[in-house]
Amino acid sequence: MSFRIERHGDELLVRIDGTTRDEQDVIDRVSACRGTSWWSCPSGECSKIGTCDTRRDGDTTVIALVPRPGETLSATGVEECLRYVLAETAGVDNDASARKR
């Protein structure tokens, strides 16, 4: 599984490739960090997320992150958060070249 983060205005799109049967686990981990584990996330970026929607784009899971009013999401902070919450999911890799588009 690999992911890349793209900025679209205020929103960050996290594109996760290779999520087949583990897709729901990925979504659950991001939601849990966002909803209950802000204190343990190394970046704290998840506390700035207002809404988190998911959709499929072919074989890719897309998580759309919109900041809370008055906040700005950092792609670097979200990457750190994702690496933390997905650490137990085997094979997580990041496509660094596409991270800050």
Side-chain angles (χ1 to χ4, degrees):
M1 173 188 328
S2 64
F3 68 88
R4 63 189 181 281
I5 300 170
E6 302 169 356
R7 180 169 300 281
H8 289 270
D10 290 342
E11 177 179 77
L12 291 180
L13 298 180
V14 180
R15 296 183 172 277
I16 305 172
D17 299 316
T19 55
T20 54
R21 59 191 169 94
D22 295 329
E23 176 182 343
Q24 189 59 49
D25 184 48
V26 170
I27 294 165
D28 290 347
R29 286 172 186 266
V30 171
S31 295
C33 184
R34 187 178 151 253
T36 61
S37 299
W38 292 349
W39 58 270
S40 63
C41 181
S43 76
E45 199 67 21
C46 44
S47 67
K48 297 178 183 178
I49 298 171
T51 60
C52 176
D53 296 315
T54 60
R55 66 177 186 271
R56 295 288 294 171
D57 184 6
D59 292 336
T60 302
T61 298
V62 179
I63 302 174
L65 305 174
V66 178
R68 293 177 183 274
E71 297 284 358
T72 301
L73 293 173
S74 159
T76 302
V78 168
E79 176 187 346
E80 186 177 358
C81 180
L82 285 172
R83 288 191 175 283
Y84 173 75
V85 299
L86 301 177
E88 294 177 14
T89 302
V92 171
D93 186 26
N94 181 4
D95 179 359
S97 64
R99 181 177 63 220
K100 295 184 182 177
R101 287 186 197 171

